[in-house]
Structure formats: structure tokens, C-alpha cells
Amino acid sequence: KWEKRGDAGGERILVSIRLRPLNAKEIARNDTTDWECINDTTIIFRNSVPERSMAPVAYTFDRVFRSDCSTRQVYEDAAKQVALSAVSGINSTIFAYGQTSSGKTYTMIGITEYTVSDIYDYIQRHEERAFVLKFSAIEIYNEAVRDLLSPDSTPLRLLDDPERGTIVEKLTEETLNDWDHLCKLLSICEAQRQIGETSLNEMSSRSHQILRLTIESSAREFLGKENSSTLVASVNFVDLAGSERASQALSGGTRLKEGCHINRSLLTLGTVIRKLSKNRNGHIPYRDSKLTRILQPSLGGNSRTAIICTMSPAHSHLEQSRNTLFFANCAK
Ligand code: ADP
Ligand code: MG
């Protein structure tokens, strides 16, 4: 028996932009920046090449973060509310979108840790309920789904379950004991991603990583009794493949097979997000890619979504940054 879930209230997708600082390489080549966050919601573009200077263009989002903002602040303002709704039975997803080296992984690692820490806090303050946390992790590379908690790298199949929707067959799901256990699992995921790969950066720029935390809870006073019921929801932390792959496909370049497949998941995600942000009741093409099939229960229906778009501030990355803003604009 399942308890009635909270209501996400058909909310829009929360979209924010995070600038990272110029890195050593960019500073060394005297790269300049075209971007300035003038308040909490507005980022302006002003071409930093003097001969191309023009009137500034403003873009507004739910939240924009300057390059000196901490991940803690990004979490508090752009992810926390969405992520923690899973404790009241609402599925949620936090995405990091952006070109390779813009700060997706840096941002997602922090947000994942802050979320789990806050969930443990919540559990301690709600002794009237019994909680079980479960953790699973997958990678989608070349439209093949791999279990990041298993040494076996055989691709996993997706199955359609009449009650639970799309599920990943044979996926490892660990019941979390405590914080240290989570840290151990995260390092296993990290090690799994590196196996057999010559360059981790090459791999991570082409694959999507989804960490899923499932929260089950029941009121203690009914435990073991007939009227006992369980509330269950997941929060997904999605570190997307580098968005430069998608823009390469859009510009018509013939790429390797990897490129095409990454584009399928990333491009389908773009379409799904765009349609969700306009009309949640129309046809949404979840089934067109593995990523969107797996995330369907946490994207449509009674769910909450936050997208954090990470951007390099450097003028040399201007084209990619504009593509990122274009994606962010379509999502809001
Ligand atoms: P991506 O996952 O998008 O490829 P990373 O998260 O790996 O990018 O970031 C690239 C590099 O920049 C890393 O060395 C990371 O530590 C650093 N970095 C990213 N964002 C920030 C930030 N906001 N502040 C400081 N360093 C950052
Ligand atoms: Mg990364």
C-alpha cells in the first residue's frame, strides 16, 4: 500500500546559470570575459573585444550565479527545494548542463553531498517515520546503459514495468547505511567510469551519469500493521555529456558513432524539456532516447526539475556559452 504523494503543483522547471572563474589556462592566454551578473536573476553579455563592442544584451533566469559564488549557495538557491521534495514523495531531478570543462561535475558533486546531508538531517528530525535510503548509479555512453556499482560492464536493458514505468534490468541498488557508505559508493562509481578509458575527460565529455537516491518512508506507529503504507520517491542527480556534442550535430558535422548517440540523448532531452516547459499535457517524446526514458517518472507528471547551466566566462568559449544560454532559455 502506497501513501498519497505530495503535489508538485505543475511547477515550471527551475533554470539557473552558473559562471565559473577563468581558469589558469584562460588567464595565461589573456582571455577576457563577456559576461556579468548584474543581480540575482540577470546576466548580461557585452562583447569584450573592443572593436566588436555593442549595446549589452540581458538574459534573465530564475537565478544566476557569479563566478565567485560557492557551490553551497548554488545548492541553497537553485537545487535544494527541488531535491528535498523527494522526502514528501515527489520525484525530482537536478541537471548540470554545459560544455566540457564549464563546471558540471564540480557543481553536481557538491549538490549531491549537500542534498544527502540535508536528507539525513530531515530524517533525524522526523523520528515518527522510518526511512530507508537506496542508491543506484548508471552511465549512458553510446546509448548503452552501464551499472556504475557493478564491475560487469555489460549494457543493461530497459524494461517497461506496468506499475513502475521504465526500469533498468538487473541494476544494483544499495541500501545506504550511513554517510561513509555513500562516500564509498561514490568512489566506486568514479573508479568504474575510468576503467578501460584512455582519457577520463574524453569519457566524461561523452557520457551521461545519473545518480539516483530513492527515499522510502512509513509512519512508525503503523509499521507491521495492516494500515501501514509507504511513501516513495527518488531524486536524480544528472551530470550530462558535454553540450558541445549536441551543437556539433546541429551544425551538420558528421561525427563518430559516439557523437551521434550522445546527441540522441542530449537532443531528445532538449526537446522534452522544451515541450515540458510549454505544455505538460501534450505529447512528450520520452521514448526517443535512453536518458529520457529512464528519467520520465522524474520529469513529467508529479515531479520537480532544476537545471543548472554551467558556463565558462571566457571570450574564447563565446559560441558554446551562447548555445548554453539558448538551451537555458528554451527550458524556462
Ligand atoms: P565539466 O564537468 O563541465 O567538464 P568540471 O566540473 O570538471 O567541468 O570543471 C573543470 C575544472 O574547473 C575543474 O578542475 C574544476 O575543479 C574547475 N571548476 C569548475 N567550476 C568551478 C568553480 N565554480 N570554481 C572553481 N573551480 C571550478
Ligand atoms: Mg564532468
Side-chain angles (χ1 to χ4, degrees):
K1 259 182 71 194
W2 305 104
E3 244 174 79
K4 193 177 176 312
R5 290 154 184 264
D7 188 0
E11 273 176 63
R12 286 179 315 109
I13 298 166
L14 195 71
V15 184
S16 50
I17 307 288
R18 180 185 203 187
L19 283 175
R20 67 156 164 76
L22 283 166
N23 64 30
K25 227 164 51 183
E26 291 160 349
I27 291 170
R29 63 174 180 237
N30 293 321
D31 226 327
T32 50
T33 179
D34 312 298
W35 304 100
E36 189 190 344
C37 298
I38 53 166
N39 57 41
D40 282 354
T41 56
T42 314
I43 180 166
I44 60 169
F45 169 73
R46 191 188 288 114
N47 201 313
S48 57
V49 174
E51 49 276 29
R52 302 224 186 112
S53 83
M54 47 182 268
V57 185
Y59 301 84
T60 61
F61 295 96
D62 292 300
R63 195 72 170 73
V64 301
F65 299 95
R66 294 160 28 156
S67 60
D68 58 355
C69 276
S70 64
T71 302
R72 164 60 84 181
Q73 192 167 359
V74 175
Y75 166 72
E76 292 287 341
D77 296 354
K80 185 174 176 172
Q81 233 190 342
V82 169
L84 294 188
S85 54
V87 296
S88 28
I90 297 169
N91 292 320
S92 64
T93 307
I94 316 288
F95 287 102
Y97 180 100
Q99 74 175 116
T100 298
S101 90
S102 58
K104 295 183 296 299
T105 304
Y106 181 90
T107 302
M108 274 329 268
I109 287 176
I111 285 180
T112 306
E113 290 180 359
Y114 291 134
T115 303
V116 177
S117 160
D118 274 355
I119 287 173
Y120 274 124
D121 239 39
Y122 181 93
I123 290 175
Q124 280 194 336
R125 284 185 284 108
H126 290 79
E127 288 184 338
E128 73 282 5
R129 295 185 74 83
F131 287 85
V132 178
L133 298 187
K134 292 178 177 163
F135 180 82
S136 64
I138 59 169
E139 175 174 71
I140 303 175
Y141 181 69
N142 238 353
E143 284 300 273
V145 179
R146 228 179 107 196
D147 188 342
L148 287 176
L149 293 181
S150 158
D152 182 358
S153 62
T154 315
L156 303 180
R157 292 194 306 165
L158 300 188
L159 300 177
D160 287 308
D161 182 284
E163 268 176 28
R164 294 189 292 164
T166 299
I167 54 168
V168 182
E169 191 185 32
K170 296 181 182 152
L171 180 66
T172 310
E173 197 174 43
E174 290 268 355
T175 299
L176 283 186
N177 305 326
D178 52 25
W179 179 260
D180 289 343
H181 188 200
L182 173 79
C183 296
K184 218 177 97 198
L185 295 175
L186 289 175
S187 65
I188 291 174
C189 293
E190 198 46 49
Q192 279 302 117
R193 289 192 89 183
Q194 296 180 47
I195 288 176
E197 290 308 318
T198 44
S199 152
L200 175 62
N201 196 41
E202 185 63 8
M203 176 74 169
S204 74
S205 75
R206 287 161 183 256
S207 67
H208 308 284
Q209 187 185 25
I210 306 174
L211 306 183
R212 175 174 286 177
L213 187 72
T214 301
I215 306 165
E216 294 179 7
S217 72
S218 341
R220 284 190 198 277
E221 62 172 314
F222 299 126
L223 275 184
K225 295 188 184 145
E226 203 158 278
N227 51 359
S228 167
S229 64
T230 306
L231 194 61
V232 59
S234 308
V235 45
N236 299 277
F237 303 95
V238 186
D239 188 350
L240 291 167
S243 56
E244 65 277 8
R245 305 279 164 191
S247 26
Q248 273 166 5
L250 284 173
S251 64
T254 322
R255 299 290 303 174
L256 299 167
K257 193 170 160 226
E258 285 103 314
C260 299
H261 281 307
I262 279 161
N263 295 336
R264 176 154 11 135
S265 271
L266 209 52
L267 291 176
T268 305
L269 177 70
T271 309
V272 163
I273 298 274
R274 205 162 53 240
K275 293 201 171 202
L276 281 174
S277 74
K278 299 224 160 61
N279 174 14
R280 291 192 158 245
N281 302 317
H283 171 72
I284 317 267
Y286 294 110
R287 300 196 65 84
D288 289 358
S289 79
K290 294 271 167 67
L291 178 71
T292 48
R293 268 183 81 185
I294 291 169
L295 290 175
Q296 176 170 0
S298 301
L299 283 174
N302 192 33
S303 66
R304 285 186 180 147
T305 306
I307 302 177
I308 299 162
C309 296
T310 53
M311 260 170 59
S312 159
H315 181 76
S316 58
H317 290 306
L318 179 55
E319 199 193 321
Q320 287 304 330
S321 298
R322 285 185 144 155
N323 286 337
T324 298
L325 284 185
F326 178 76
F327 175 88
N329 241 322
C330 290
K332 71 178 186 186

